[in-house]
Amino acid sequence: VSMETLMENAGAAVAAAVTEKMDVTGKKTIILCGKGNNGGDGFVMARLIADMGARVFVTLPCGAPKSGIALEEYAKIAHSKITFLDTDDERISDRYDAVVDAVFGTGFHGELSADIISLFSRISKDSFILAADIPSGADSVTGKVSAGTLMCGLTVTFGAPKIGMTLLPAQINCGKIIVRETGITESCF
């Protein structure tokens, strides 16, 4: 399975989780996209739910991707009906029907930057918050979480649960965990 197909399937899995929760037509969704593959999953999801009639907003707290398939997915939505918000835009603090954390994925280890913590602190706690693969700031191996990691009601993880998601405190930040197949074969585990 190509990386492009994996990313398309991951973005579609997150979109499906949102559409199972609500009819997205006319609903406000903000997607926080990193510049790596997790952000690429977010770009795919943004495109798919915008095509379903959602009012989609995207913010790029790490800047736009510079290369790779995440850049290709970003290019597909850069001039679309999706609204891009600067990270200091006051509308980030609005209540959204869904907030998707697609900033950092399973490769994250360490601490979130002050800028990311500031951005996350402005997300309305009244919104339905979900993570693509793992909440940004959670370590997929140790279960450690950085200060400022979002408390998600749902985490859509790909292929299999990650060890760190089952450990405290990351388990709390993940909320309900659902596993979606994206085309990752068993030989990868």
Side-chain angles (χ1 to χ4, degrees):
V1 177
S2 70
M3 289 298 293
E4 292 82 1
T5 299
L6 288 174
M7 187 171 287
E8 185 71 26
N9 292 346
V14 179
V18 172
T19 59
E20 289 165 11
K21 174 100 175 141
M22 69 185 82
D23 174 7
V24 297
T25 307
K27 299 286 174 60
K28 285 175 51 178
T29 299
I30 187 167
I31 307 169
L32 317 172
C33 293
K35 62 182 179 180
N37 288 345
N38 197 249
D41 300 341
F43 300 139
V44 170
M45 189 252 183
R47 174 174 42 86
L48 294 175
I49 66 166
D51 288 347
M52 292 180 214
R55 295 173 47 210
V56 179
F57 300 81
V58 169
T59 190
L60 307 170
C62 304
K66 302 283 188 243
S67 63
I69 55 175
L71 176 61
E72 293 170 19
E73 292 301 333
Y74 171 70
K76 291 178 185 177
I77 67 168
H79 303 289
S80 67
K81 56 190 168 191
I82 293 166
T83 302
F84 285 83
L85 301 178
D86 291 331
T87 55
D88 60 355
D89 193 302
E90 291 178 5
R91 292 176 286 179
I92 289 174
S93 300
D94 290 353
R95 185 201 173 279
Y96 289 87
D97 297 292
V99 175
V100 180
D101 169 8
V103 181
F104 300 117
T106 57
F108 179 87
H109 306 287
E111 298 297 322
L112 295 172
S113 70
D115 290 343
I116 301 289
I117 292 171
S118 174
L119 172 68
F120 286 178
S121 73
R122 294 172 31 231
I123 299 299
S124 171
K125 306 308 181 246
D126 294 330
S127 300
F128 170 57
I129 302 172
L130 68 150
D133 213 11
I134 192 165
S136 298
D139 188 303
S140 65
V141 176
T142 67
K144 179 181 180 282
V145 295
S146 170
T149 300
L150 287 171
M151 295 297 288
C152 299
L154 176 67
T155 296
V156 181
T157 196
F158 312 126
K162 309 332 181 248
I163 293 169
M165 301 171 89
T166 65
L167 303 173
L168 294 175
Q171 183 182 40
I172 296 167
N173 291 79
C174 289
K176 179 181 177 185
I177 299 168
I178 59 173
V179 179
R180 294 290 167 96
E181 293 305 318
T182 59
I184 300 170
T185 62
E186 284 190 29
S187 65
C188 295
F189 299 116

